[in-house]
Amino acid sequence: MIVKNQVQLITYPDSMGGNLKTLNQVLLKHFSDIFKGGVHILPPFPSSGDRGFAPLTYLKIDPDFGSWEDIKEIGKNFDVLVDLMVNHISRKSEYFQDFLKKGRKSEYADLFITLDKYWKNGEPVQSDIDKMFLRRNFPYSTFTIEESGEKEKVWTTFGKTDPSEQIDLDTKSLKVRQLLTQFLQNFKEQNVKIVRLDAVGYVSKRLGTSCFFVEPEIYEFLDWIKELADSLGIELLPEVHAHYSIQYKLAEHDYWIYDFILPYQILDTLINKSSKNLLQYLKDRPHKQFTMLDCHDGIPVKPDLDDLIDSKEAKKVVDVCVERGSTLSLILSDEHKGKDGFDVHQIKCSYFSALNCDDDAYLAARAIQFFAPGVPQVYYVGLLAGENDYESVEKTGEGREINRHNFSLDEIEEAIEKDVVQRLLKLIRFRNKYEAFNGKFNVLDSGDNEIRLSWKKDQKCCTLFIDLKTNKSVIDYIDKYGNVTQYHI
């Protein structure tokens, strides 16, 4: 197995010291024994927007961040994970720029979804659009072809501008598959171990559907790209924000999945001092998952937790987070809002701030994450117990910048000295080293205001106990001498 059952870091290439070289220096100086599972470097490629998620190419590293040599240096000590935005590419890419110049005469024309591939004469039908899970007000952009002056409408799922910066790729096209093959082959050459398939749920499009995770088309694409990745020795991690049942379908197909349910469930547990929903969830969920609390986006709510949470109760949790400084990302399509109008897509905040900057509550949250089966990822802001960054939001106008603070080397040194960060590092070391985490997981009988979870392998056993009234967490474990030892987190 390529994926190691140890803690991973998620970071932007420039968020821990300014570039990839300083990132490597910080990792080696402070975290050499912390991120044994690897480092997920959010898009370091040349990009025209969305903080790297509108890539021009995957064959180069943005020179502001460094080079592929810097990625390889990091890869000497940490498995590297990067993103492949299989659904789209930048309109500033050489491929789309050629299309803008020559239109249908461009050798790259078939990379893109001109609307005539779906609608007669290329004219979109509103009744079809109404059924889609929209990420913007309409799923296409109109461009003028330079040489002919013709207008071309092309599919653009994402993008805040009009026309969009992110142009959808036609993953049914042979040319797209040749391009994706080239990108993955380059990742192999650069010693990338894991590739996250960002926005993969949107690659399957069929009129009359949500145009999101359309079955069986989605599996045809996933099976194709998995066969390719397997041949290159690369592990894939599909990234899908959707109703949890879709995640479970992926798990049934033996794909790694993201646990986008856990962050909210833990938040709800710690805010309401009740473990009932969380423990039931931990009993039923698939084990082959990557776990997280925070990331470059917000804490998922809808559609990830539909049918798992009560809208009225969820609104109370959301309101607490808003009181603590969070902002919200909302669902655009009326059809995909709750029947009662509940429309919260994500809660935008740092996880530490969502827990009111309470050290014990935050460590309890991390302990639950690390005990939940799966590969734990820790986002760099969460690693350093960062708080909501309102200045970045105001400066950029991007709400998600609330949890995307760029730490200078001095700020990193200062954060590492915080008691909460030192306690977190100790907990990560325990999670990385203790053998029982490769054994059998159990949810133990627990009172409503407490949590008891355990792992056992051979003679090694560890049990987590959290008192939700005080947020105090304790691990009882068998040490190397066979004695029961207590670790107060």
Side-chain angles (χ1 to χ4, degrees):
M1 184 177 75
I2 298 168
V3 178
K4 297 170 183 168
N5 183 23
Q6 293 174 303
V7 179
Q8 293 183 351
L9 173 70
I10 315 173
T11 181
Y12 284 100
D14 57 339
S15 286
M16 296 185 76
N19 58 49
L20 291 165
K21 274 191 172 62
T22 50
L23 170 60
N24 192 36
Q25 290 164 9
V26 168
L27 288 170
L28 293 175
K29 181 178 180 182
H30 298 293
F31 307 113
S32 60
D33 63 336
I34 298 298
F35 297 112
K36 297 283 194 178
V39 179
H40 178 177
I41 302 172
L42 294 167
F45 316 108
S47 172
S48 60
D50 198 14
R51 192 145 182 191
F53 285 86
L56 277 66
T57 179
Y58 296 88
L59 303 178
K60 299 175 183 175
I61 299 297
D62 188 322
D64 286 345
F65 304 143
S67 68
W68 277 116
E69 287 306 310
D70 296 316
I71 298 281
K72 281 184 174 179
E73 278 298 310
I74 294 171
K76 286 179 180 177
N77 298 288
F78 308 91
D79 287 351
V80 172
L81 188 160
V82 297
D83 293 273
L84 178 60
M85 276 58 80
V86 286
N87 179 71
H88 53 263
I89 202 159
S90 170
R91 71 168 167 168
K92 301 286 196 324
S93 67
E94 63 174 299
Y95 319 107
F96 195 69
Q97 286 297 301
D98 195 74
F99 174 77
L100 282 180
K101 185 177 182 181
K102 303 173 186 172
R104 302 295 177 98
K105 294 177 183 176
S106 168
E107 63 179 301
Y108 303 118
D110 199 43
L111 292 179
F112 311 110
I113 305 173
T114 50
L115 295 197
D116 59 298
K117 288 184 176 182
Y118 284 89
W119 283 288
K120 188 177 180 181
N121 301 321
E123 289 303 316
V125 176
Q126 190 61 44
S127 59
D128 289 325
I129 293 174
D130 290 341
K131 293 183 174 69
M132 296 177 190
F133 185 75
L134 296 177
R135 298 303 303 269
R136 56 204 303 268
N137 290 327
F138 38 89
Y140 61 88
S141 296
T142 305
F143 296 91
T144 302
I145 303 304
E146 185 181 322
E147 289 185 357
S148 65
E150 291 179 68
K151 301 285 187 185
E152 282 280 16
K153 292 188 177 77
V154 298
W155 206 301
T156 51
T157 298
F158 296 92
K160 294 196 169 183
T161 59
D162 189 33
S164 174
E165 275 299 323
Q166 293 152 298
I167 312 298
D168 282 38
L169 294 167
D170 183 357
T171 54
K172 292 186 289 189
S173 160
L174 177 61
K175 281 189 175 293
V176 167
R177 298 205 174 185
Q178 288 170 339
L179 191 63
L180 294 177
T181 299
Q182 185 184 11
F183 293 155
L184 279 167
Q185 286 173 336
N186 181 58
F187 288 160
K188 166 71 173 175
E189 289 170 16
Q190 309 301 341
N191 203 25
V192 169
K193 300 293 188 187
I194 308 169
V195 173
R196 182 173 72 166
L197 301 179
D198 185 79
V200 68
Y202 296 93
V203 303
S204 52
K205 300 171 173 69
R206 193 198 319 143
L207 298 185
T209 74
S210 65
C211 289
F212 179 86
F213 209 89
V214 179
E215 299 174 273
E217 289 91 327
I218 187 68
Y219 298 118
E220 189 278 326
F221 174 76
L222 282 170
D223 291 346
W224 169 79
I225 199 166
K226 186 175 188 301
E227 184 179 347
L228 171 61
D230 286 348
S231 73
L232 297 169
I234 291 173
E235 194 80 55
L236 294 181
L237 171 59
E239 185 258 3
V240 178
H241 278 291
H243 189 278
Y244 72 94
S245 61
I246 287 180
Q247 293 273 34
Y248 288 12
K249 286 178 183 178
L250 275 173
E252 287 168 11
H253 281 74
D254 200 33
Y255 286 96
W256 283 97
I257 60 174
Y258 254 118
D259 192 342
F260 289 130
I261 299 167
L262 192 62
Y264 176 89
Q265 291 281 25
I266 292 176
L267 197 59
D268 173 44
T269 297
L270 292 167
I271 287 174
N272 290 315
K273 307 295 184 186
S274 170
S275 63
K276 182 182 176 183
N277 293 338
L278 172 67
L279 296 183
Q280 186 57 51
Y281 171 63
L282 289 175
K283 288 176 183 176
D284 297 338
R285 65 191 275 283
H287 285 194
K288 191 176 177 179
Q289 304 205 46
F290 279 57
T291 68
M292 40 81 81
L293 295 184
D294 44 1
C295 66
H296 65 285
D297 286 332
I299 298 168
V301 184
K302 287 183 66 68
D304 304 77
L305 285 105
D306 285 350
D307 300 324
L308 286 177
I309 55 172
D310 175 85
S311 293
K312 288 181 182 176
E313 295 304 313
K315 189 177 184 308
K316 292 177 188 175
V317 172
V318 168
D319 287 346
V320 169
C321 292
V322 170
E323 284 171 19
R324 293 173 177 177
S326 303
T327 58
L328 305 174
S329 172
L330 304 177
I331 298 281
L332 291 177
S333 314
D334 288 337
E335 187 170 323
H336 298 96
K337 295 176 183 177
K339 291 178 182 176
D340 57 358
F342 185 67
D343 61 353
V344 179
H345 177 49
Q346 294 179 343
I347 305 167
K348 293 182 285 194
C349 58
S350 92
Y351 211 88
F352 189 58
S353 292
L355 290 172
N356 218 23
C357 302
D358 180 320
D359 289 5
D360 287 339
Y362 184 62
L363 270 298
R366 287 293 176 195
I368 298 166
Q369 180 199 1
F370 294 167
F371 266 72
V375 176
Q377 290 188 325
V378 176
Y379 185 58
Y380 74 100
V381 178
L383 169 69
L384 301 172
E387 299 180 28
N388 289 339
D389 186 347
Y390 304 111
E391 192 177 320
S392 286
V393 174
E394 192 173 334
K395 184 178 176 182
T396 63
E398 168 57 73
R400 291 175 298 179
E401 289 291 320
I402 196 169
N403 195 32
R404 296 178 177 180
H405 180 74
N406 287 334
F407 288 82
S408 68
L409 291 174
D410 287 343
E411 286 176 317
I412 293 169
E413 296 281 351
E414 186 180 333
I416 284 170
E417 294 303 313
K418 293 193 290 190
D419 181 60
V420 64
V421 175
Q422 284 298 315
R423 290 166 65 191
L424 175 57
L425 296 180
K426 183 179 178 183
L427 181 60
I428 292 174
R429 289 187 182 101
F430 181 83
R431 174 61 178 79
N432 281 340
K433 292 177 182 177
Y434 198 69
E435 300 96 318
F437 288 106
N438 293 307
K440 188 173 191 290
F441 170 73
N442 269 304
V443 176
L444 305 179
D445 290 341
S446 309
D448 190 47
N449 55 14
E450 61 186 31
I451 291 169
R452 296 178 190 273
L453 308 172
S454 77
W455 282 91
K456 188 175 191 312
K457 184 182 181 186
D458 301 326
Q459 304 308 309
K460 293 298 175 70
C461 177
C462 59
T463 302
L464 171 68
F465 171 72
I466 298 174
D467 182 346
L468 293 173
K469 290 178 288 188
T470 63
N471 293 326
K472 296 293 186 184
S473 307
V474 179
I475 296 174
D476 289 304
Y477 68 98
I478 307 295
D479 67 17
K480 61 183 178 181
Y481 305 108
N483 300 319
V484 177
T485 304
Q486 206 164 64
Y487 162 26
H488 292 266
I489 297 173

